[in-house]
PDB file of all heavy atoms in Angstrom:
ATOM      1  N   MET R   2     -15.067  18.465 -20.668  1.00 69.00           N
ATOM      2  CA  MET R   2     -16.379  18.457 -21.300  1.00 69.00           C
ATOM      3  C   MET R   2     -16.985  19.852 -21.319  1.00 69.00           C
ATOM      4  O   MET R   2     -17.552  20.253 -22.309  1.00 69.00           O
ATOM      5  CB  MET R   2     -17.295  17.478 -20.555  1.00 69.00           C
ATOM      6  CG  MET R   2     -18.540  17.149 -21.294  1.00 69.00           C
ATOM      7  SD  MET R   2     -18.171  16.378 -22.872  1.00 69.00           S
ATOM      8  CE  MET R   2     -19.641  16.747 -23.762  1.00 69.00           C
ATOM      9  N   ALA R   3     -16.816  20.608 -20.246  1.00 73.00           N
ATOM     10  CA  ALA R   3     -17.318  21.984 -20.212  1.00 73.00           C
ATOM     11  C   ALA R   3     -16.627  22.828 -21.286  1.00 73.00           C
ATOM     12  O   ALA R   3     -17.274  23.664 -21.915  1.00 73.00           O
ATOM     13  CB  ALA R   3     -17.108  22.588 -18.837  1.00 73.00           C
ATOM     14  N   LEU R   4     -15.356  22.616 -21.459  1.00 75.00           N
ATOM     15  CA  LEU R   4     -14.613  23.382 -22.486  1.00 75.00           C
ATOM     16  C   LEU R   4     -15.164  23.067 -23.858  1.00 75.00           C
ATOM     17  O   LEU R   4     -15.254  23.975 -24.729  1.00 75.00           O
ATOM     18  CB  LEU R   4     -13.125  22.996 -22.408  1.00 75.00           C
ATOM     19  CG  LEU R   4     -12.199  23.684 -23.433  1.00 75.00           C
ATOM     20  CD1 LEU R   4     -12.220  25.207 -23.217  1.00 75.00           C
ATOM     21  CD2 LEU R   4     -10.798  23.147 -23.299  1.00 75.00           C
ATOM     22  N   SER R   5     -15.604  21.860 -24.093  1.00 76.00           N
ATOM     23  CA  SER R   5     -16.113  21.515 -25.455  1.00 76.00           C
ATOM     24  C   SER R   5     -17.416  22.209 -25.783  1.00 76.00           C
ATOM     25  O   SER R   5     -17.769  22.357 -26.934  1.00 76.00           O
ATOM     26  CB  SER R   5     -16.303  19.996 -25.553  1.00 76.00           C
ATOM     27  OG  SER R   5     -17.412  19.556 -24.799  1.00 76.00           O
ATOM     28  N   LEU R   6     -18.158  22.648 -24.723  1.00 78.00           N
ATOM     29  CA  LEU R   6     -19.400  23.384 -24.992  1.00 78.00           C
ATOM     30  C   LEU R   6     -19.181  24.686 -25.680  1.00 78.00           C
ATOM     31  O   LEU R   6     -19.988  25.136 -26.505  1.00 78.00           O
ATOM     32  CB  LEU R   6     -20.161  23.600 -23.681  1.00 78.00           C
ATOM     33  CG  LEU R   6     -20.625  22.359 -22.949  1.00 78.00           C
ATOM     34  CD1 LEU R   6     -21.221  22.752 -21.600  1.00 78.00           C
ATOM     35  CD2 LEU R   6     -21.638  21.591 -23.781  1.00 78.00           C
ATOM     36  N   TRP R   7     -18.075  25.371 -25.330  1.00 78.00           N
ATOM     37  CA  TRP R   7     -17.867  26.744 -25.836  1.00 78.00           C
ATOM     38  C   TRP R   7     -16.594  26.868 -26.659  1.00 78.00           C
ATOM     39  O   TRP R   7     -16.225  27.986 -27.030  1.00 78.00           O
ATOM     40  CB  TRP R   7     -17.798  27.728 -24.673  1.00 78.00           C
ATOM     41  CG  TRP R   7     -19.082  27.847 -23.919  1.00 78.00           C
ATOM     42  CD1 TRP R   7     -20.319  28.021 -24.450  1.00 78.00           C
ATOM     43  CD2 TRP R   7     -19.238  27.827 -22.491  1.00 78.00           C
ATOM     44  NE1 TRP R   7     -21.239  28.115 -23.444  1.00 78.00           N
ATOM     45  CE2 TRP R   7     -20.600  28.003 -22.252  1.00 78.00           C
ATOM     46  CE3 TRP R   7     -18.361  27.679 -21.428  1.00 78.00           C
ATOM     47  CZ2 TRP R   7     -21.122  28.021 -20.952  1.00 78.00           C
ATOM     48  CZ3 TRP R   7     -18.877  27.725 -20.158  1.00 78.00           C
ATOM     49  CH2 TRP R   7     -20.235  27.879 -19.927  1.00 78.00           C
ATOM     50  N   PHE R   8     -15.942  25.825 -26.956  1.00 83.00           N
ATOM     51  CA  PHE R   8     -14.693  25.905 -27.711  1.00 83.00           C
ATOM     52  C   PHE R   8     -15.006  26.466 -29.100  1.00 83.00           C
ATOM     53  O   PHE R   8     -15.896  25.964 -29.798  1.00 83.00           O
ATOM     54  CB  PHE R   8     -14.042  24.528 -27.827  1.00 83.00           C
ATOM     55  CG  PHE R   8     -12.602  24.565 -28.211  1.00 83.00           C
ATOM     56  CD1 PHE R   8     -11.647  24.902 -27.281  1.00 83.00           C
ATOM     57  CD2 PHE R   8     -12.215  24.289 -29.520  1.00 83.00           C
ATOM     58  CE1 PHE R   8     -10.299  24.939 -27.641  1.00 83.00           C
ATOM     59  CE2 PHE R   8     -10.889  24.322 -29.875  1.00 83.00           C
ATOM     60  CZ  PHE R   8      -9.907  24.650 -28.930  1.00 83.00           C
ATOM     61  N   PRO R   9     -14.285  27.501 -29.545  1.00 85.00           N
ATOM     62  CA  PRO R   9     -14.600  28.141 -30.834  1.00 85.00           C
ATOM     63  C   PRO R   9     -14.439  27.183 -31.997  1.00 85.00           C
ATOM     64  O   PRO R   9     -13.437  26.449 -32.097  1.00 85.00           O
ATOM     65  CB  PRO R   9     -13.551  29.281 -30.935  1.00 85.00           C
ATOM     66  CG  PRO R   9     -13.114  29.526 -29.550  1.00 85.00           C
ATOM     67  CD  PRO R   9     -13.208  28.222 -28.848  1.00 85.00           C
ATOM     68  N   ARG R  10     -15.412  27.152 -32.877  1.00 86.00           N
ATOM     69  CA  ARG R  10     -15.400  26.238 -34.020  1.00 86.00           C
ATOM     70  C   ARG R  10     -14.208  26.428 -34.921  1.00 86.00           C
ATOM     71  O   ARG R  10     -13.696  25.498 -35.542  1.00 86.00           O
ATOM     72  CB  ARG R  10     -16.663  26.412 -34.868  1.00 86.00           C
ATOM     73  CG  ARG R  10     -17.911  25.935 -34.215  1.00 86.00           C
ATOM     74  CD  ARG R  10     -19.105  26.201 -35.135  1.00 86.00           C
ATOM     75  NE  ARG R  10     -20.362  26.098 -34.433  1.00 86.00           N
ATOM     76  CZ  ARG R  10     -21.123  25.029 -34.422  1.00 86.00           C
ATOM     77  NH1 ARG R  10     -20.744  23.967 -35.068  1.00 86.00           N
ATOM     78  NH2 ARG R  10     -22.250  25.024 -33.735  1.00 86.00           N
ATOM     79  N   ARG R  11     -13.714  27.667 -35.002  1.00 85.00           N
ATOM     80  CA  ARG R  11     -12.590  27.940 -35.902  1.00 85.00           C
ATOM     81  C   ARG R  11     -11.298  27.269 -35.481  1.00 85.00           C
ATOM     82  O   ARG R  11     -10.352  27.157 -36.232  1.00 85.00           O
ATOM     83  CB  ARG R  11     -12.415  29.429 -36.087  1.00 85.00           C
ATOM     84  CG  ARG R  11     -11.936  30.178 -34.893  1.00 85.00           C
ATOM     85  CD  ARG R  11     -11.871  31.696 -35.181  1.00 85.00           C
ATOM     86  NE  ARG R  11     -11.573  32.394 -33.962  1.00 85.00           N
ATOM     87  CZ  ARG R  11     -12.481  32.643 -33.034  1.00 85.00           C
ATOM     88  NH1 ARG R  11     -13.715  32.254 -33.168  1.00 85.00           N
ATOM     89  NH2 ARG R  11     -12.145  33.295 -31.927  1.00 85.00           N
ATOM     90  N   PHE R  12     -11.256  26.753 -34.247  1.00 85.00           N
ATOM     91  CA  PHE R  12     -10.062  26.020 -33.741  1.00 85.00           C
ATOM     92  C   PHE R  12     -10.225  24.532 -33.828  1.00 85.00           C
ATOM     93  O   PHE R  12      -9.352  23.781 -33.414  1.00 85.00           O
ATOM     94  CB  PHE R  12      -9.747  26.450 -32.309  1.00 85.00           C
ATOM     95  CG  PHE R  12      -9.333  27.874 -32.179  1.00 85.00           C
ATOM     96  CD1 PHE R  12      -9.934  28.699 -31.255  1.00 85.00           C
ATOM     97  CD2 PHE R  12      -8.297  28.412 -32.948  1.00 85.00           C
ATOM     98  CE1 PHE R  12      -9.565  30.028 -31.103  1.00 85.00           C
ATOM     99  CE2 PHE R  12      -7.909  29.719 -32.831  1.00 85.00           C
ATOM    100  CZ  PHE R  12      -8.541  30.546 -31.885  1.00 85.00           C
ATOM    101  N   TYR R  13     -11.381  24.041 -34.330  1.00 87.00           N
ATOM    102  CA  TYR R  13     -11.589  22.605 -34.442  1.00 87.00           C
ATOM    103  C   TYR R  13     -10.592  22.043 -35.483  1.00 87.00           C
ATOM    104  O   TYR R  13     -10.228  22.755 -36.438  1.00 87.00           O
ATOM    105  CB  TYR R  13     -12.969  22.285 -34.977  1.00 87.00           C
ATOM    106  CG  TYR R  13     -14.091  22.415 -33.935  1.00 87.00           C
ATOM    107  CD1 TYR R  13     -13.862  22.959 -32.665  1.00 87.00           C
ATOM    108  CD2 TYR R  13     -15.371  22.037 -34.266  1.00 87.00           C
ATOM    109  CE1 TYR R  13     -14.898  23.081 -31.773  1.00 87.00           C
ATOM    110  CE2 TYR R  13     -16.425  22.152 -33.362  1.00 87.00           C
ATOM    111  CZ  TYR R  13     -16.173  22.678 -32.116  1.00 87.00           C
ATOM    112  OH  TYR R  13     -17.198  22.829 -31.237  1.00 87.00           O
ATOM    113  N   PRO R  14     -10.184  20.800 -35.303  1.00 87.00           N
ATOM    114  CA  PRO R  14      -9.360  20.184 -36.361  1.00 87.00           C
ATOM    115  C   PRO R  14     -10.110  20.128 -37.667  1.00 87.00           C
ATOM    116  O   PRO R  14     -11.363  19.984 -37.675  1.00 87.00           O
ATOM    117  CB  PRO R  14      -9.136  18.745 -35.811  1.00 87.00           C
ATOM    118  CG  PRO R  14      -9.404  18.829 -34.351  1.00 87.00           C
ATOM    119  CD  PRO R  14     -10.407  19.942 -34.150  1.00 87.00           C
ATOM    120  N   ALA R  15      -9.403  20.245 -38.773  1.00 89.00           N
ATOM    121  CA  ALA R  15     -10.047  20.266 -40.108  1.00 89.00           C
ATOM    122  C   ALA R  15     -10.872  19.012 -40.367  1.00 89.00           C
ATOM    123  O   ALA R  15     -11.895  19.070 -41.055  1.00 89.00           O
ATOM    124  CB  ALA R  15      -8.978  20.447 -41.181  1.00 89.00           C
ATOM    125  N   SER R  16     -10.481  17.908 -39.785  1.00 92.00           N
ATOM    126  CA  SER R  16     -11.181  16.622 -40.031  1.00 92.00           C
ATOM    127  C   SER R  16     -12.594  16.636 -39.454  1.00 92.00           C
ATOM    128  O   SER R  16     -13.441  15.834 -39.852  1.00 92.00           O
ATOM    129  CB  SER R  16     -10.411  15.484 -39.442  1.00 92.00           C
ATOM    130  OG  SER R  16     -10.238  15.682 -38.036  1.00 92.00           O
ATOM    131  N   LEU R  17     -12.903  17.542 -38.516  1.00 90.00           N
ATOM    132  CA  LEU R  17     -14.243  17.601 -37.933  1.00 90.00           C
ATOM    133  C   LEU R  17     -15.226  18.483 -38.725  1.00 90.00           C
ATOM    134  O   LEU R  17     -16.416  18.456 -38.489  1.00 90.00           O
ATOM    135  CB  LEU R  17     -14.179  18.111 -36.497  1.00 90.00           C
ATOM    136  CG  LEU R  17     -13.446  17.219 -35.487  1.00 90.00           C
ATOM    137  CD1 LEU R  17     -13.444  17.833 -34.119  1.00 90.00           C
ATOM    138  CD2 LEU R  17     -14.080  15.870 -35.453  1.00 90.00           C
ATOM    139  N   ASN R  18     -14.712  19.280 -39.646  1.00 89.00           N
ATOM    140  CA  ASN R  18     -15.542  20.169 -40.484  1.00 89.00           C
ATOM    141  C   ASN R  18     -16.500  21.044 -39.682  1.00 89.00           C
ATOM    142  O   ASN R  18     -17.631  21.236 -40.056  1.00 89.00           O
ATOM    143  CB  ASN R  18     -16.333  19.356 -41.500  1.00 89.00           C
ATOM    144  CG  ASN R  18     -15.444  18.670 -42.495  1.00 89.00           C
ATOM    145  OD1 ASN R  18     -14.430  19.236 -42.915  1.00 89.00           O
ATOM    146  ND2 ASN R  18     -15.808  17.454 -42.887  1.00 89.00           N
TER     147      ASN R  18
END
Side-chain angles (χ1 to χ4, degrees):
M2 193 60 204
L4 179 62
S5 73
L6 296 174
W7 296 312
F8 198 77
R10 290 179 197 263
R11 67 183 172 284
F12 295 128
Y13 284 7
S16 59
L17 295 180
N18 295 323

